[in-house]
Amino acid sequence: MIKSKYNWDVKLPEVEIAENIATDLKLTPIVKKVLESKGITDETDIRNLLEGVQITHDPWKMSDMDKAVERINVAIDQNQKILVYGDYDADGVTSTTILVSTLKELGAHVGWYIPNRFSEGYGPNELAFKNAYDEGISLIITVDNGIQGHDEIQMVQDLGVDVIVTDHHEIGKTMPNAYAIVHPMHPEFEYPFKYLCGAGVAYKLAQCLLDEPPVHFLGLVAIGTIADLVSLTDENRTLVQNGLAALNKYCPPSIKAILNQAGYNDEINEETVGFIIGPRLNAVGRLEDAALAAELLMTETEDEAMFLAEQVEFFNQERKDIVSQITEEALVMAEEQVQQGSKFLLLAQTDWHEGVLGIVASRIVETYSLPTLILNIDEAQNHAKGSARSIDQVSMFEILSDYSQLITKFGGHHMAAGVTMPIENIQPLQNSLNEWMAQLAETTSLEPRKKVDVTISEGDITIQNIKDIQRLRPFGTDFTSPCFELQDVLVQQVKGIGQEKKHLKLVIGESQLQAIFWQSGHLVKELGVQQPINVIGTLQINEWNGFQSPQFMIEDLASHNLQILDYRSKNKVNDLNADTENVAYLIHQRSEKLGENYHYYGDEIINKYEKYVFRDLPTSINDLKTTLKTVDISQIYLVLNHDRSIYFEGMPKMETFKQCFKALAAKKETNLANEGVQLSKFLNIQPHILKFILKVFLDLEFIQVENGIIKLNNVSTKRDIASSKYYQSRIDRIEVEKLLLYEDFNRLKQWIKDELVE
């Protein structure tokens, strides 16, 4: 048995897409199911999604936009010095690039500054603001930060420097006393979409300052939006769609150079940004001064772009090595805390590189599914700094806000935060956070969960279906790539791949489907060939030497003691015959010619088998229940052979029984061989239905048959048609077929499991 890491939330859609809508929009079955799972069932919403309908909101509706634009125009008109104060991550450097480029195009006297993560930390810095004042700066515009910089902003405003905050991070209980605050979540304004990233807010400001912002700005917005993991819905979806189109059509020298260094020359999509461009822009600020990344984005020449991109690539490789080392050390500490019952992991140590602690925190959360704060202890500065990552059930901003008295400085949102705090407060904070989590656990399940969009079969995994699913792109936060479940699929090949065999590669199912499970090479020892497993994950198209094939990217895997495999439409039962000692075959008719491992439904079976093949359809549900209650089953193969189905024929109506009896009564004798077809046509039923009715009459002694001649009996007592054993047998057969042949397979499996438990 392999226990799944997550609880899989496989839910049937609350609302289904109407068939006429699905037909009109040419939705394939798999796309229809994906949309239903995501709650997108309205025709207009589906059409907007498939056709890429633009959703844009008036930038002038954002908070203080009028004031901000007016103040910037005054600064430009009076040639005042403007400073764009950015941030050191991908969103921060793209925001900085957008606004600096905008102001330069307007002829502003503008400079830019990105604080050093290690010496200055996140957000407004008092010394940096004082230096700006000393240099004659009249206006500071923050991008992707500032909403938590109360003291620093008040200080520099008191010196006569106006500050315009443009930010998207969580707003605290109070806001800084800035000249203007441009923020999509400002409580006093009604901007229609709350979840822009920093680059998105900067772009909105650029829209109000310029008649028509340059197209390449959209590419920068897409990078900031995807890299910062904000909601990929509503306006963000439009910005990313347009931005990716811009990157592919008008790719600037900086992005070309980054991709060239990464050895990537394919189409730019959200995964390109998320796994190649974003991490490289982030790497610079994680290890050194993020100004290098901003300089790269602002360059307009290919030679300079290539030179700067080489340096960025160096930092990215170094970042990977550092992350690997710290993660290894942090996992040891995390395991100790988990064993002690901790529900919030606070890991702190000296000489951990502060710049990568967010990545390490994410790795710890992936492993233990617990909110995690990782800190570097700087004894010389007498403080600890680091990053936090959370789980869906816990708002990191909320939980840290509750203990802000123990923290010098922090900022962030639901899933992530940056923290600076005194060393002596580490243990008190850890105790407090665990108490907070203990209280939450009393009312909220902390079990890690993974939403599964659709349960599919191997036959659904085709190149065309995957291409149809990709019509829904881009995928991201709040509109994730569809997660599929594949049940009871047999492992054909298994091996570890990559450095130190850390990753798992499987070949599964009849179709020999390639499957990859990152960071799960350890499962090689637990998986055997022909072992049935359940997997969840996403679908991709793998290309090699011009050949395309489907690929399943596993996100979780499970193998349970009880496996129920659907062989009802497959002729694979012969594959089990070789192992007769470990296989029991359940049949509905006794036969002396069959071996001792063939058993009749309802018999008591000695628990000596590993596999149970339900070869035939049982005659009744009760017989099946008896079998399930007398055996200890680990694997069930549902073959369920039968001559023909009667479920859709159903039971003849009572009126048909009456008409048949009257027709027989109208004649003293009926020759079935000569008159049977004529009688069937008269009753408008098939001949085999007539035979069934006559069996019921014979059983109830309504008639007698001699040499094919039917005669009525004189019956003195009234007998109910339904009391016939043949009538009841047909009822049983219909019930059996309904459950075993036509019930949804997931429900059938659950029914079997429930019967085994009782």
Side-chain angles (χ1 to χ4, degrees), residues 53 163 167 209 226 242 262 298 301 303-304 312 356 363 365 407 457 470 561 588 657 680 690-691 695 726 752:
V53 173
V163 178
D167 201 355
L209 290 168
I226 295 168
N242 294 339
M298 292 182 196
T301 66
D303 289 343
E304 184 180 10
V312 169
V356 301
R363 300 274 175 87
V365 172
I407 301 171
S457 64
Q470 290 177 345
N561 287 333
H588 72 271
F657 281 95
S680 297
L690 175 60
K691 289 182 180 180
K695 280 186 177 181
Y726 293 108
I752 293 174

Side-chain angles (χ1 to χ4, degrees), residues 592-608:
E592 296 180 359
K593 296 180 181 180
L594 299 175
E596 62 179 12
N597 59 325
Y598 285 80
H599 299 270
Y600 183 68
Y601 287 104
D603 283 352
E604 183 177 347
I605 305 173
I606 300 174
N607 293 317
K608 63 178 182 179

Side-chain angles (χ1 to χ4, degrees), residues 72-97:
I72 291 170
N73 284 329
V74 168
I76 295 172
D77 292 342
Q78 298 180 5
N79 199 33
Q80 295 176 359
K81 290 184 178 180
I82 303 174
L83 178 69
V84 175
Y85 188 92
D87 187 28
Y88 39 69
D89 65 1
D91 190 20
V93 295
T94 51
S95 304
T96 302
T97 302

